[in-house]
Amino acid sequence: MTTQVIVLNGGSSSGKSGIARCLQAVLPDPWLAFGTDTLAQAMPMSLQTSAAGIEVGQDGEVIVGPEFRALEAAWIEGIAAMARAGARIIVDEAFLGGAASQQRWRRALGTLPVLWVGVRCDGAVAAGREIARGDRVTGMAAAQAELVHQGVGYDLEVDTTHTEALECARAIAARVR
């Protein structure tokens, strides 16, 4: 079976978005890339800072509420529908709920051929990237570095601590069927 979906799971500032862009450049066919940041930005402002939507604590902890979960479920189903319709999809995700987050994606993607990729990065390195980016709450990268991988199963893992996004993308592309 030809890989239809690549799911990149990693903490904030781990390098997932860079890898996704590099994958789009090195894979021979066109691939669409969608990230959890895009979902959050698409939500109304009222849900971007509320208990019903998504809140980021002063320490970088991300808390999601019921309205976020409802919209996230629709978004996941929409991405799965695009893949079932023939689009090749790269998902840039942070499984804040670990195995439960992966299970939500597994249910939606069903029998689609998926390559599950863990994107790891040392928490201190990710924290340095977070500061350099300037668009994240300090502490988010360190808090998520290991949390997002708890109980999650992968076909492949890459580590961006000392490896560039392009090299990681090439390793992932080599596993795409």
Side-chain angles (χ1 to χ4, degrees):
M1 277 197 187
T2 304
T3 302
Q4 196 69 31
V5 180
I6 300 169
V7 177
L8 305 174
N9 175 50
S12 179
S13 300
S14 65
K16 301 176 306 293
S17 299
I19 291 171
R21 285 189 300 277
C22 289
L23 279 168
Q24 288 177 306
V26 302
L27 289 167
D29 299 307
W31 287 72
L32 299 174
F34 295 98
T36 192
D37 289 344
T38 307
L39 168 63
Q41 292 166 359
M43 292 189 178
M45 285 304 271
S46 62
L47 290 183
Q48 291 183 26
T49 56
S50 76
I54 186 168
E55 291 182 296
V56 180
Q58 290 182 344
D59 61 353
E61 179 188 17
V62 178
I63 304 158
V64 297
E67 292 294 328
F68 177 91
R69 283 285 180 231
L71 291 171
E72 177 192 46
W75 182 70
I76 291 170
E77 288 295 333
I79 293 202
M82 285 188 291
R84 282 192 291 278
R88 291 174 185 85
I89 309 284
I90 301 165
V91 176
D92 166 351
E93 190 41 293
F95 288 169
L96 298 175
S101 296
Q102 184 178 37
Q103 193 56 36
R104 284 193 291 276
W105 278 98
R106 283 190 189 279
R107 276 193 301 275
L109 296 171
T111 60
L112 287 166
V114 179
L115 181 65
W116 298 94
V117 181
V119 179
R120 294 192 177 269
C121 183
D122 177 82
V125 171
R129 293 177 187 168
E130 174 180 75
I131 292 168
R133 288 173 69 152
D135 66 348
R136 297 286 192 266
V137 173
T138 302
M140 188 181 292
Q144 293 179 12
E146 291 302 320
L147 172 74
V148 299
H149 300 291
Q150 292 177 358
V152 177
Y154 298 114
D155 299 309
L156 173 67
E157 292 187 45
V158 295
D159 190 325
T160 66
T161 304
H162 302 291
T163 307
E164 292 296 322
L166 182 58
E167 189 176 333
C168 292
R170 287 184 176 139
I172 295 164
R175 296 287 299 271
V176 172
R177 297 180 288 229

